[in-house]
Amino acid sequence: MEEEWLEEAPKKSILKICLTVSGILAALVLAFFGATKWLVVREVITENATLYTAEEILSVCAIEEGTPLVSLPVGEISERISKSFPYLIHIEIKRHLSGRVSVEYEESFGEVYLKLGDDYFVVDRELNVLIKEKKPAVSDRILLVASDISESVVGKKLSFFDENREESLETVLKNLFEADMLNSVISLDVRDKFQITANFEDRFEILLGDSSEMSLKLAMIREVMEDLGPEKKGKIDISDANTAYVKLVE
């Protein structure tokens, strides 16, 4: 009798485990179908962008009420918005248990433009290519003079054959933005990553050298220009962050 009980005990344990696992799987299946039935899109919201209305953005989203939240193709929707509205970046489609779907984004009008062939490309300071135009970009953007560009495709990042050149340009733009000096720059020449040059306020040609110690260089440029006053023009060599060489012209 004792041997028979020992043989039956493992069988009962295995049966119990199988029943438990089956119960869990059944509960998960029911929960999934319940979620599919009850967790559906009830409302889609977004805010007006500067150049686009909420109605235009939601029309491109094409999200229908009653669509199960779990099967909402958020990646495809984000891609459609990006292609239709080039000045919207960092797009997110957020689903909420209440059934609300919110379309969130940031706006970027691009701080930089460059000419490749017959086309003009508008680029933001993170080097995202926003739009391709057949006419010159607006005048308040920085003209980027560059070579060695490997790809300039709307919706993707501007890239160079030399990755160090890309990193160098990002560093310069980031520091110009943080120093609140982007609007002072008319053009930026990065064809030589070791001797980057910039046109400031259409008054000074600035020799920046490479992208190292850029925050210090920009701080010194601001100080020198303030000391010279609004009427002076010329060339400022700040390749060495510790010394500024100034050559004025009449």
Side-chain angles (χ1 to χ4, degrees):
M1 286 291 293
E2 186 174 343
E3 290 181 359
E4 290 179 3
W5 183 85
L6 290 174
E7 289 177 0
E8 290 178 1
K11 293 181 181 178
K12 291 181 179 179
S13 298
I14 293 172
L15 179 61
K16 185 176 180 180
I17 292 171
C18 289
L19 290 173
T20 301
V21 171
S22 298
I24 293 172
L25 291 174
L28 290 173
V29 170
L30 290 173
F32 174 79
F33 283 107
T36 302
K37 181 178 180 180
W38 299 109
L39 297 181
V40 297
V41 176
R42 303 183 190 280
E43 181 185 22
V44 187
I45 62 169
T46 192
E47 296 182 358
N48 288 331
T50 301
L51 296 178
Y52 319 114
T53 66
E55 289 75 15
E56 288 173 325
I57 297 170
L58 294 179
S59 175
V60 169
C61 291
I63 302 174
E64 296 183 1
E65 291 187 14
T67 302
L69 290 175
V70 294
S71 61
L72 198 65
V74 294
E76 292 179 14
I77 296 169
S78 296
E79 187 174 349
R80 286 203 302 269
I81 296 172
S82 179
K83 288 182 178 179
S84 300
F85 307 106
Y87 295 118
L88 303 185
I89 61 172
H90 301 155
I91 299 161
E92 284 190 83
I93 312 298
K94 293 186 177 180
R95 296 169 285 189
H96 306 273
L97 292 177
S98 63
R100 172 178 289 184
V101 176
S102 57
V103 181
E104 301 180 6
Y105 51 79
E106 294 178 20
E107 289 186 273
S108 175
F109 300 104
E111 292 84 2
V112 179
Y113 76 99
L114 68 155
K115 188 175 188 297
L116 295 175
D118 295 328
D119 297 315
Y120 292 84
F121 292 84
V122 179
V123 182
D124 67 16
R125 64 179 181 275
E126 296 176 350
L127 302 188
N128 298 304
V129 182
L130 302 177
I131 192 170
K132 180 173 72 172
E133 301 176 334
K134 282 294 183 183
K135 57 183 180 180
V138 297
S139 59
D140 59 348
R141 296 186 179 117
I142 298 170
L143 169 62
L144 178 66
V145 182
S147 59
D148 197 34
I149 294 174
S150 62
E151 184 177 62
S152 182
V153 178
V154 174
K156 294 185 177 182
K157 195 169 183 178
L158 183 69
S159 59
F160 297 79
F161 289 106
D162 182 353
E163 294 181 0
N164 292 328
R165 194 183 306 275
E166 180 178 323
E167 182 180 350
S168 176
L169 176 56
E170 280 189 297
T171 299
V172 175
L173 292 173
K174 176 177 180 291
N175 279 274
L176 282 169
F177 172 74
E178 291 176 349
D180 195 24
M181 298 176 75
L182 275 173
N183 291 336
S184 298
V185 180
I186 305 299
S187 64
L188 187 64
D189 189 334
V190 296
R191 287 175 294 182
D192 183 347
K193 64 184 178 184
F194 299 109
Q195 189 54 275
I196 300 167
T197 61
N199 180 326
F200 267 65
E201 299 179 356
D202 215 15
R203 295 194 300 129
F204 288 98
E205 180 186 359
I206 310 291
L207 307 181
L208 293 168
D210 61 24
S211 60
S212 64
E213 300 183 284
M214 190 54 59
S215 60
L216 292 176
K217 293 175 181 178
L218 295 178
M220 187 170 289
I221 289 169
R222 186 193 298 276
E223 185 177 335
V224 169
M225 290 178 65
E226 288 176 354
D227 289 343
L228 291 173
E231 304 300 327
K232 301 294 184 182
K233 296 182 179 182
K235 180 182 291 186
I236 302 174
D237 188 341
I238 194 66
S239 303
D240 180 350
N242 298 308
T243 308
Y245 299 94
V246 180
K247 182 179 180 180
L248 298 178
V249 296
E250 297 297 331

